[in-house]
Amino acid sequence: MSLEHSQDVHLESSDTGVDILKIENAHAIARMSLFGGHVLGFMPKHDEQERLWLSDKAVLDGSKAIRGGIPICWPWFGDHPSQPELPAHGYVRNQNWQLLSIDEADEQTTLRLAPHTTLNEGFDGQAELELEVRVGRSLTVTLTTTNIGDNPLSYGAALHSYLAAEDVTQCVIEGLSGDYKDKLDSGRIKPTPHPYRISGEMDRVHLTMPERVRLQSPAHPMQLLQSGHDSIVVWNPWSNKSQQMSDMPDNGYQCFVCIEAAVTQGYTLAPKQSHQLQQQIT
Ligand code: TA6
């Protein structure tokens, strides 16, 4: 189905140079930007609680990645492993995506999108990339990478979800265990804290792959189900870093925590093989 014939999906605005789609059905309201293939918001109708945080200083003119929502990090996570001058988190969040299809069913509205190109400096793989966004009582985001070349390819990725919180210090993360790499302490390996509270800057790569993680908060506990990941990243910039980011309010750190389904250790695809990275937010 095309946008012109859709009941659930409409072009809400494009006056900032970025096409914003509004998706509404009986279960939820969501918004996404075609720039970056970027989910901006998801609000179930049963509790009318927004699940994603979007910076009110986010740049929505296509000149830089959008701060908040669910940035798509691909084909690397974080800094490029050998070319640190290249953009962090790869390049597909910084380009226009094409809406491939819309499917409208009783339970959910499903959009499929693809980036303008998967080729750019820093990655020599021949890949197809597709994003599926399912809006229903839950939000399910699936990033599928397919190796269409004749050689193996390795890549990294993340669904860099900014989860909304009224007061992040009132939140507790449940479901993580084992060790994590502390990116704020030269990648030192440390044990997961219990209870897992957010009380300062954190940038952690948890090396376990729990399917289910919960973000307990007074307003609206969230359940995160993920698959295809090799790690879960937990990030909050806290106050100093928030003040240093022009697209982040000074107190922005109080209103979100990133809990990301990620491929941070590298995943290798044989020719013609596909891999799916998925996160469901309820
Ligand atoms: O996912 C955590 C992280 O890698 C942090 O190191 C921090 O850089 C964050 O991503 C945000 O990155 P961005 O490039 O979107 O500002």
Side-chain angles (χ1 to χ4, degrees):
M1 178 188 296
S2 65
L3 195 53
E4 294 71 34
H5 298 104
S6 171
Q7 296 294 318
D8 299 353
V9 185
H10 296 92
L11 178 63
E12 183 171 64
S13 73
S14 53
D15 49 11
T16 63
V18 162
D19 289 345
I20 307 291
L21 302 181
K22 181 181 180 183
I23 303 106
E24 181 169 5
N25 56 32
H27 309 292
I29 296 173
R31 283 181 173 80
M32 75 176 299
S33 157
L34 289 182
F35 176 74
H38 198 129
V39 177
L40 304 174
F42 170 65
M43 186 193 74
K45 287 186 172 177
H46 71 87
D47 64 8
E48 297 189 342
Q49 293 284 332
E50 176 59 56
R51 295 306 197 264
L52 299 175
W53 178 81
L54 181 69
S55 170
D56 56 18
K57 298 177 76 174
V59 176
L60 289 170
D61 63 8
S63 64
K64 70 178 289 187
I66 298 168
R67 179 70 60 196
I70 306 179
I72 304 295
C73 304
W74 190 94
W76 61 83
F77 174 81
D79 292 333
H80 188 281
S82 60
Q83 297 172 262
E85 73 280 4
L86 294 178
H89 295 320
Y91 44 75
V92 295
R93 65 174 182 164
N94 286 300
Q95 63 169 283
N96 286 315
W97 287 52
Q98 183 188 358
L99 179 61
L100 302 177
S101 70
I102 300 169
D103 180 77
E104 299 180 349
D106 290 346
E107 286 311 303
Q108 72 265 328
T109 306
T110 303
L111 288 75
R112 290 174 47 247
L113 305 99
H116 174 68
T117 177
T118 59
L119 299 172
N120 210 325
E121 188 179 358
F123 178 67
D124 56 8
Q126 303 288 317
E128 268 179 3
L129 189 65
E130 184 174 295
L131 180 73
E132 181 189 84
V133 178
R134 285 207 306 268
V135 177
R137 288 183 66 84
S138 301
L139 172 71
T140 303
V141 179
T142 307
L143 186 68
T144 302
T145 302
T146 302
N147 181 355
I148 57 173
D150 299 326
N151 303 307
L153 72 80
S154 295
Y155 76 102
L159 302 175
H160 197 297
S161 304
Y162 285 72
L163 302 173
E166 277 187 359
D167 175 356
V168 79
T169 65
Q170 298 298 309
C171 294
V172 176
I173 301 175
E174 295 175 351
L176 291 172
S177 60
D179 291 337
Y180 68 86
K181 271 186 199 171
D182 188 346
K183 288 175 63 178
L184 301 178
D185 188 8
S186 308
R188 283 189 175 80
I189 301 294
K190 298 178 180 177
T192 297
H194 296 287
Y196 200 140
R197 295 190 180 280
I198 298 103
S199 54
E201 183 182 358
M202 52 179 66
D203 195 348
R204 300 172 175 176
V205 180
H206 288 267
L207 300 168
T208 55
M209 288 81 85
E211 184 183 287
R212 188 188 305 267
V213 174
R214 290 184 67 81
L215 179 62
Q216 294 291 7
S217 75
H220 51 87
M222 279 188 236
Q223 175 180 269
L224 309 172
L225 291 178
Q226 33 273 319
S227 61
H229 56 304
D230 64 10
S231 36
I232 298 274
V233 178
V234 176
W235 178 63
N236 186 292
W238 215 246
S239 56
N240 288 347
K241 287 270 174 66
S242 289
Q243 290 169 37
Q244 292 164 17
M245 288 187 270
S246 61
D247 57 359
M248 170 86 71
D250 288 354
N251 65 351
Y253 69 95
Q254 296 171 347
C255 309
F256 75 89
V257 58
C258 286
I259 301 179
E260 309 159 33
V263 176
T264 60
Q265 308 305 302
Y267 193 90
T268 300
L269 283 173
K272 311 300 178 247
Q273 188 186 11
S274 288
H275 177 255
Q276 291 194 328
L277 177 63
Q278 185 177 84
Q279 187 175 55
Q280 180 191 72
I281 300 171
T282 301

